[in-house]
Amino acid sequence: MRRGELTDDAWAVIAPLLPEAGGSRGRWRDHRQVINGILWKLRTGAPWRDLPERFGPWKTCHERLRRWTADGTWDRILAAAQVHDDGTPVQWTISIDSSIVRAHQHAAGARKKGGSPTSAATPGAQDGEAIGRSRGGLSTKIHLAVDGRGRPLSILLTPGQAGDNPQLLALLDAIRVNEPGPGRPRKRPDVLIADKGYAHDSTRRALRSRGIRHVIPERSDQVARRAAKGSTGGRPPAFDRAIYKKRNVVERCFNRLKQWRDLATRYAKRASLYRASLVLIAAIIWLP
């Protein structure tokens, strides 16, 4: 095993979730070898054609990434990793935030299928291929929810100029953790922590209606508006400074994701493939 490749413990979790290595066209190239090739590409940010020969043909690795994106294999791997019994179960003090990544010129120009966006069948790939124009140029925004230890729970993509707050409820709805035992997957956190970008009255009402305790600071204009109303302005929303200090885990998770150069800069034309790469590395963060 070389640096950045799957450990034996991680492979033991992943292997049962992969399609059988065979089919009408004969045996497939070894799944572990192919995934290690994908990880090498994500870690280095190199073009697919520069993939070392020890991982097999680059087209095989790219095709496997694309095929397992379409059939949901990467999402199943992340779901299994989230409930893997490593002695540190999911901690339901959830933090959310977003981060922008520059889109390389190679990411632009994806062909349209029938003149309509391809995002309908791709979780989190809103507005076509999730590439927009923000202050820094062409970019994609990653919206992320993490547990109390900074491990990814859900990932959405939007164009870089999109706001944070409209994605909050969609990000929460994307959380589905199949905890041990019978019952439905768990979705609701004990506490939700977010910064001022999510400090909207409608958001607070929506969270209260779902019974979700939240720790979100007020913006200065909201404080001033309430103070101007005097006694009719009402009380400020509850805010626990001690809990809010734990929000840094989501920033640390973004740092871990962006250590993978292919994620720190988006090269993939398809939002589905870029998100699949994020999901794969999110699973790696969970696994031993």
Side-chain angles (χ1 to χ4, degrees), residues 178-219:
N178 296 290
E179 294 185 322
R184 298 178 180 177
R186 179 167 177 177
K187 299 172 61 69
R188 190 171 65 181
D190 294 329
V191 182
L192 173 68
I193 308 174
D195 64 16
K196 293 181 180 180
Y198 302 89
H200 293 258
D201 293 338
S202 60
T203 299
R204 296 184 191 276
R205 288 194 297 270
L207 292 174
R208 283 195 295 268
S209 69
R210 296 186 179 203
I212 298 175
R213 180 189 174 196
H214 53 278
V215 179
I216 304 174
E218 278 191 299
R219 300 195 310 270

Side-chain angles (χ1 to χ4, degrees), residues 136-175:
L138 293 178
S139 59
T140 292
K141 182 175 283 189
I142 305 170
H143 302 266
L144 181 66
V146 303
D147 80 334
R149 291 177 59 87
R151 299 171 296 184
L153 292 172
S154 62
I155 300 170
L156 297 179
L157 299 181
T158 62
Q161 78 276 13
D164 292 352
N165 188 64
Q167 304 304 320
L168 183 145
L169 296 181
L171 201 59
L172 290 178
D173 290 338
I175 298 174

Side-chain angles (χ1 to χ4, degrees), residues 3 20 25 50-52 64 86 102 114 118 121 141 143 154 173 196 200 227 233-234 239 249-250 257 284:
R3 184 169 69 92
E20 293 185 7
R25 298 184 181 181
D50 293 341
L51 197 71
R64 204 74 59 88
D86 61 352
R102 283 292 303 274
T118 60
K141 182 175 283 189
H143 302 266
S154 62
D173 290 338
K196 293 181 180 180
H200 293 258
F239 180 70
V249 295
V250 68
L257 290 172
I284 297 298

Side-chain angles (χ1 to χ4, degrees), residues 31-271:
H31 286 334
R32 186 170 183 177
Q33 180 188 22
V34 171
I35 293 178
N36 283 334
I38 295 171
L39 293 177
W40 183 90
K41 200 274 184 193
L42 298 181
R43 181 167 55 85
T44 62
W48 280 107
R49 293 177 184 272
D50 293 341
L51 197 71
E53 292 183 0
R54 68 176 183 271
F55 299 118
W58 70 267
K59 288 186 178 180
T60 299
C61 293
H62 181 271
E63 175 62 18
R64 204 74 59 88
L65 175 65
R66 188 198 63 79
R67 180 177 299 194
W68 289 349
T69 297
D71 67 13
T73 295
W74 303 119
D75 287 291
R76 289 194 294 273
I77 288 175
L78 177 58
Q82 289 171 346
V83 296
H84 174 63
D85 186 10
D86 61 352
T88 53
V90 177
Q91 297 186 8
W92 287 95
T93 297
I94 289 179
S95 298
I96 65 171
D97 205 351
S98 69
S99 182
I100 288 180
V101 295
R102 283 292 303 274
H104 193 271
Q105 60 183 354
H106 293 169
R111 290 175 296 183
K112 302 294 189 297
K113 296 182 179 180
S116 61
T118 60
S119 60
T122 303
Q126 299 92 345
D127 299 328
E129 295 301 335
I131 294 180
R133 191 173 294 279
S134 59
R135 185 175 300 176
L138 293 178
S139 59
T140 292
K141 182 175 283 189
I142 305 170
H143 302 266
L144 181 66
V146 303
D147 80 334
R149 291 177 59 87
R151 299 171 296 184
L153 292 172
S154 62
I155 300 170
L156 297 179
L157 299 181
T158 62
Q161 78 276 13
D164 292 352
N165 188 64
Q167 304 304 320
L168 183 145
L169 296 181
L171 201 59
L172 290 178
D173 290 338
I175 298 174
R176 299 177 62 86
V177 177
N178 296 290
E179 294 185 322
R184 298 178 180 177
R186 179 167 177 177
K187 299 172 61 69
R188 190 171 65 181
D190 294 329
V191 182
L192 173 68
I193 308 174
D195 64 16
K196 293 181 180 180
Y198 302 89
H200 293 258
D201 293 338
S202 60
T203 299
R204 296 184 191 276
R205 288 194 297 270
L207 292 174
R208 283 195 295 268
S209 69
R210 296 186 179 203
I212 298 175
R213 180 189 174 196
H214 53 278
V215 179
I216 304 174
E218 278 191 299
R219 300 195 310 270
S220 58
D221 63 310
Q222 293 173 327
V223 175
R225 185 168 61 248
R226 191 183 64 254
K229 293 181 179 180
S231 59
T232 61
R235 294 178 296 177
F239 180 70
D240 191 319
R241 292 183 180 275
I243 292 180
Y244 189 71
K245 290 180 179 179
K246 300 177 181 180
R247 197 188 69 85
N248 65 85
V249 295
V250 68
E251 305 291 353
R252 299 207 304 266
C253 185
F254 275 122
N255 288 340
R256 294 183 69 180
L257 290 172
K258 291 185 178 182
Q259 292 298 315
W260 300 77
R261 294 183 180 182
D262 210 74
L263 303 183
T265 300
R266 175 177 166 180
Y267 297 95
K269 289 184 183 294
R270 295 296 181 191

